[in-house]
Amino acid sequence: MIRCCITDGGAEAIAASLLAGGADWVQIREKELAARELMLLVRRVMALPNPHSVKVLVNTRVDVAIAAGAGGVHLPAGSIAPCEWRGITPSGFLIGVSCHSMEEVLRAEAEGADYVFFGPVFAPISKTSDLAPRGLEELRRVSRGVRIPVLALGGITWENARACVEAGAAGVVGISLFKNVADAAT
């Protein structure tokens, strides 16, 4: 199971804890930072000890991810297609896409995404959403409908993470899920 933490403030401290154990991927999502500050933050995170080879992803900013040496980027639905970025990204660079429907997941796969975040599976914990929860059955349908990994997002807790994986998700994604890093490490 892939465990992915999305930062939403305090990225450096959260990443330092999670690089030591507790996550497989850390997505740096600090929307309030200008490009230069974000790049410097990601470089500081990339310089931290990373004994478990946690993959560091950058939210939305392909340029920042490449400049800082991150392992990938996560794009919102409706972004430039992942295949359009492949010519400038290094080998092994992950490109993922947020998706909210089967159509979006199929499009992301066809356009060369390495993985998708699908949701919200449940009602989000860390923010309000205009989107209705998609539920475990839709997660199951989407996960079975593509070859790329589908990670469950939205309202994920350690209590319902297993149900998401049993429904076919390759892993889980969250902000609140990792608020208590000690819980994440267990």
Side-chain angles (χ1 to χ4, degrees):
M1 173 174 71
I2 299 168
R3 298 162 298 158
C4 178
C5 173
I6 300 173
T7 69
D8 190 28
E12 196 167 352
I14 292 168
S17 296
L18 292 171
L19 293 177
D24 302 294
W25 298 350
V26 175
Q27 179 189 338
I28 307 296
R29 187 185 125 204
E30 303 298 322
K31 293 182 176 185
E32 75 287 348
L33 295 181
R36 179 182 298 270
E37 288 77 27
L38 180 60
M39 193 259 317
L40 293 171
L41 169 64
V42 177
R43 281 189 176 168
R44 287 194 306 272
V45 169
M46 295 301 296
L48 293 169
N50 189 355
H52 302 287
S53 301
V54 173
K55 187 74 88 168
V56 177
L57 310 171
V58 176
N59 188 67
T60 306
R61 299 296 306 258
V62 178
D63 57 338
V64 169
I66 293 169
V73 68
H74 187 80
L75 303 172
S79 294
I80 294 172
C83 61
E84 298 295 331
W85 293 111
R86 294 290 179 201
I88 64 168
T89 59
S91 177
F93 189 86
L94 291 179
I95 301 177
V97 179
S98 288
C99 298
H100 312 292
S101 68
M102 180 62 125
E103 286 178 3
E104 289 180 353
V105 172
L106 291 170
R107 182 179 322 115
E109 181 180 51
E111 292 179 343
D114 295 304
Y115 68 90
V116 297
F117 291 171
F118 178 75
V121 176
F122 307 106
I125 298 167
S126 63
K127 64 181 185 176
T128 59
S129 175
D130 294 336
L131 299 171
R134 303 306 189 227
L136 290 171
E137 284 308 312
E138 186 64 6
L139 175 63
R140 179 175 285 109
R141 187 173 84 85
V142 165
S143 297
R144 290 180 177 169
V146 293
R147 293 178 305 280
I148 60 174
V150 174
L151 282 73
L153 173 69
I156 308 300
T157 65
W158 293 115
E159 291 74 28
N160 65 26
R162 177 184 222 80
C164 292
V165 173
E166 289 171 354
V172 293
V173 184
I175 296 172
S176 300
L177 185 62
F178 293 93
K179 287 292 184 189
N180 184 343
V181 176
D183 287 347
T186 57

